[in-house]
Amino acid sequence: MKRPYIKLLGLIIVLLTVGLVFTSLQTSKKYKFDTKAIELHKELVSSTHFIDPQKASEILSKQHDEYIFVDIRNPREFDNFHIEGAVNVPMQQILDDQFISFLKNDKTKVLYSNESIEADQIRLLLTQFGYSNLFVLQGGANYWKENMISKDVFKSKGEYDDEKLKFDISKLTATE
Amino acid sequence: MENKGNKYMNPYLAGLLLGVVLLASFYLTGRGLGASGAMKSVVVSGVDKVSHDYAENSHFYSKYISNDQKPLRSWLVLEVFGVLIGGFISGALSGRLNLKLEKSPKITNRKRIWMAIIGGALFGFGSQLGRGCTSGAALSGMAVMSLAGYVTMMAIFGTAFALAYFFRKNWI
Amino acid sequence: MKARFILSLILVSLGLVAAILPQKKNSSIELDAQQLLNEIQQENHLISTDEMANALINNDPEYQLIDLRSETEYKQYSLPGSINIPFEKLFDAEWAPYIDQIARKNVFYSNGTTLSSEAWMLTKQRGFKNNYILQGGLNEWYTTIIEPEVPASINGEEAINDYEARLGAKQFFTGAGAVNNASANTDAKKPVARKKKKMVAGGCS
Amino acid sequence: MGPIIPLFEISEEINLLIAFLIGIGFGFALEQAGFSSSRKLAGMFYGYDITVLKVFFTAAIVAMLGLLFMNYMGMIDMSIVYVNEYYMASAIIGGVIMGAGFIIGGFCPGTSVCAAAIGKIDAMYFIGGSLIGILIFGQTYPLWEKLYNAQYLGSLKLSDSLGIKDGILGLLVIVAAILMFWLGELAEKRFKREDISKEI
């Protein structure tokens, strides 16, 4: 064996490694989060991002222009029932370019889903993605549907806050 | 003439090659290279074979054995196995394959073997205490700028230099 | 000699460049948005109350319930074996060994699902693994486990089986076998194999 | 972004395969550099052959620079990369013992495996000795446990403990290494021993 072979082999190893490193450079299109989780956590603790149905109905009746209701359910559900004036952006497609530009405008967006959890998660996702002015409608479409009496009259009854205990806790503690 | 193929690579080029391998290891696995860890795995699994209960109760061995994990099926063991193959390939390509006891002509074979065993034992012991050997602690540690890496490197080479005079017969 | 000089020059200049470049803090922990969106939709992170009740009955050590509500609420009532990490303290250093670990499945719960899903989103973004959500929270726990609804007969055999299982679970959680909260709380041990800062286990020792 | 395996949850088998491939590269580089010869390794301490110094520092510098630039380009998440934990006492004492082992035995564990692969008998004895040493450590571990865990300072980086940027430390290491290379080559000329150089 002569030396050139060894040099060649060394060169191949180097090239392979370099190639490996650089091929992995071409990653798919990534949406980087801008807001760090810890900052977001502080924000969640210190301020609310919920809008209760009462306030939402006031907004709607006064026809505030700066608010947009965003329905993140699928089109079928949207066609079935939706809050008047709401825009349908199905959550599956919320990261698509067309909607991203829509979500970028300065208006206050109120997200809702059937209940509030999915909307809340999507809101967190978008906030982490650098969007602001996002709120979540408590109770979601389900609550809205039950409590809407006529076009402009909204009767708030029952519980819309997901985090409110819906049963008597003393029943549980009494059994100890 | 037969020694023509016996030449080693230019040290700087070999260093570059080694550095690239090390870098690849960091990039792919997030860890550097190592060797003594694999030897420890061998020892641990040996002790485990001999007496599982003993290994389980020992503070030292029990760290490395758990029921669903075989110490020999680890990253470092496979890596060292690769070193064996890689070294063999290189030796074969450069015509350096032959059974040989390398020593200074001033010492006997017997002495060289004992020296190798004692040196190995010291190195094995030290690598456990120092959490890594020249490759794992010093080389990989230096690449990631870890203080432990630099300290270990200086301790190894410093001691070796300091003691070199006493063992000159072995090598010169 | 000349080659050596050039090589040294290259090395030093590379070093100079490295010294001048600002030190960036990269974090791979941030997921990309699409990935997170997919995970939200797949709902693999939801643990149903039935599943959780089953795990508790079987004393499954894999699960660690984490109560995200306030301390007062936690003291009033909590699920057996749960530990209390109020939502505002989620990222406090003292809880890091619980939140960022690989040994057990953390199941976040609150009264509803809002707090737990927020906690999940945040831990997810920080790259912590093994965090789950108790679906529907305590409210659903109550309606499915403690006071399960009697299925209408048309719901078929499966629903009735479920119901029977739930009745058994109810017995477990409310009857004589109910776990005392005070002792359950001290039960929650630190996870055994805590992963340090998500680093690769390495070195050669 | 790397490191690839921990981030993308690559399966155990592939991980082990990569370990094997990296090991081959490692072994190849070591053998090509001449680390399979104990007298060449020991030569560094007598000045007649400073290959070890050259290879070792070149490799460390290449990997270090690579990591620095990869970090700058956002290709690697250094917070996941393993940084050796620093236990001051055990690092120093362990290092001293290893140094003694190095000059007596003529190998370190990695090079001994590499040397054994091409049939060096002394390397095989060295490996056996290492196993014995590890076994001794394991058997007498309770004696050392305190020392082993003393003065834990965490995964400390030299740059952090000096309070300088990683890049500046990198530059310092490069300059120091070039100085050492220069001194080493002078020593090589001064302590040249033809007979040994041929034997190796």
Side-chain angles (χ1 to χ4, degrees), chain D residues 26-113:
Chain D
F26 186 28
F28 186 84
L30 284 180
E31 213 288 329
Q32 278 303 309
F35 279 20
S36 54
S37 156
S38 53
R39 292 184 82 192
K40 206 170 168 63
L41 287 167
M44 169 179 166
F45 305 109
Y46 302 100
Y48 62 78
D49 189 335
I50 58 147
T51 307
V52 179
L53 187 86
K54 293 178 191 168
V55 175
F56 191 85
F57 276 91
T58 315
I61 286 172
V62 167
M64 186 176 71
L65 276 177
L67 286 177
L68 281 173
F69 286 119
M70 276 163 95
N71 183 48
Y72 179 74
M73 292 190 286
M75 282 167 65
I76 194 162
D77 179 0
M78 290 304 286
S79 68
I80 298 181
V81 170
Y82 178 79
V83 176
N84 307 50
E85 287 165 332
Y86 185 48
Y87 295 78
M88 198 158 75
S90 66
I92 293 173
I93 296 172
V96 167
I97 296 174
M98 279 189 270
F102 200 168
I103 196 68
I104 296 172
F107 287 109
C108 62
T111 54
S112 69
V113 172

Side-chain angles (χ1 to χ4, degrees), chain B residues 42-111:
Chain B
V42 172
V43 171
V44 169
S45 66
V47 171
D48 192 32
K49 274 264 160 57
V50 172
S51 168
H52 183 69
D53 289 342
Y54 176 75
E56 197 107 272
N57 290 324
S58 154
H59 279 234
F60 180 70
Y61 302 115
S62 59
K63 280 189 283 186
Y64 309 104
I65 45 171
S66 58
N67 289 330
D68 52 340
Q69 225 179 320
K70 293 190 186 99
L72 280 181
R73 207 185 122 87
S74 77
W75 201 91
L76 278 170
V77 173
L78 262 287
E79 187 232 57
V80 167
F81 191 60
V83 171
L84 214 55
I85 308 288
F88 185 82
I89 294 173
S90 161
L93 285 176
S94 309
R96 278 195 284 267
L97 287 183
N98 55 344
L99 275 178
K100 176 180 167 190
L101 186 72
E102 192 177 320
K103 63 170 184 64
S104 165
K106 290 172 194 157
I107 55 170
T108 59
N109 281 356
R110 206 187 164 82
K111 189 174 176 201

Side-chain angles (χ1 to χ4, degrees), chain C residues 97-127:
Chain C
Y98 290 92
I99 307 274
D100 181 14
Q101 47 85 39
I102 50 163
R104 304 168 84 174
K105 286 182 172 176
N106 284 329
V107 183
F108 292 133
Y109 77 89
S110 52
N111 288 334
T113 323
T114 308
L115 272 187
S116 43
S117 64
E118 285 173 359
W120 179 79
M121 290 284 286
L122 294 174
T123 51
K124 192 82 202 164
Q125 198 205 347
R126 292 196 68 193

